[in-house]
Amino acid sequence: MGRNARRQFIKKCRSKGISSDTANLFWKMQRIKTAITLHEGDRVRLNIQSIQQHPDYKRLTAKYQHFIQTHADDIFTVVYDRRHQTNPALVCLKEDPNGFLFWVGDLIHIDNPSE
């Protein structure tokens, strides 16, 4: 994945209303190789503090911010988007109809879902 692929990715994000800075940050996050900490089917909650303290949070879409605020206490199921299976640091949530991608550091693993 070279410079041209990065530029195309950022251009595609810009066409969807995402800022260049956010797209660039997401590109860098995709490149980070981490150990698999969450597996498909694991139950998680959103780490609201971590998400809202991120410097780019205010620049994210209102739809994303609304999702974060309204689902603070909900429990979700981790699924991997087939386009991002090579990067275990990015996951989707099965119960999320929008299909937002989440960094595993912004999720809290739930050992016992009845908590």
Side-chain angles (χ1 to χ4, degrees):
M1 296 204 164
R3 185 181 308 159
N4 192 34
R6 181 173 156 265
R7 287 179 181 156
Q8 288 176 353
F9 174 79
I10 292 173
K11 185 178 180 180
K12 184 177 179 181
C13 289
R14 295 279 303 147
S15 71
K16 294 182 178 185
I18 299 169
S19 73
S20 296
D21 292 335
T22 302
N24 194 31
L25 176 66
F26 185 72
W27 177 263
K28 289 176 184 176
M29 286 174 59
Q30 288 185 62
R31 310 272 301 166
I32 297 171
K33 299 298 179 194
T34 60
I36 297 174
T37 56
L38 294 175
H39 296 79
E40 192 140 343
D42 283 355
R43 305 292 281 167
V44 296
R45 280 195 176 109
L46 300 175
N47 187 344
I48 302 300
Q49 281 186 322
S50 173
I51 294 170
Q52 290 180 339
Q53 288 177 353
H54 194 279
D56 287 335
Y57 181 74
K58 299 279 188 215
R59 293 191 291 177
L60 298 175
T61 64
K63 189 175 184 181
Y64 178 80
Q65 290 180 7
H66 178 71
F67 178 83
I68 297 301
Q69 293 165 358
T70 58
H71 296 288
D73 296 324
D74 295 351
I75 297 176
F76 299 97
T77 306
V78 171
V79 292
Y80 280 97
D81 185 333
R82 66 171 199 222
R83 295 170 293 175
H84 301 284
Q85 284 178 337
T86 58
N87 187 2
L90 299 174
V91 299
C92 292
L93 304 175
K94 185 177 182 180
E95 296 80 8
D96 174 17
N98 302 307
F100 292 124
L101 286 172
F102 290 90
W103 176 55
V104 295
D106 288 338
L107 302 173
I108 301 168
H109 186 261
I110 305 296
D111 293 324
N112 184 3
S114 62
E115 290 180 347

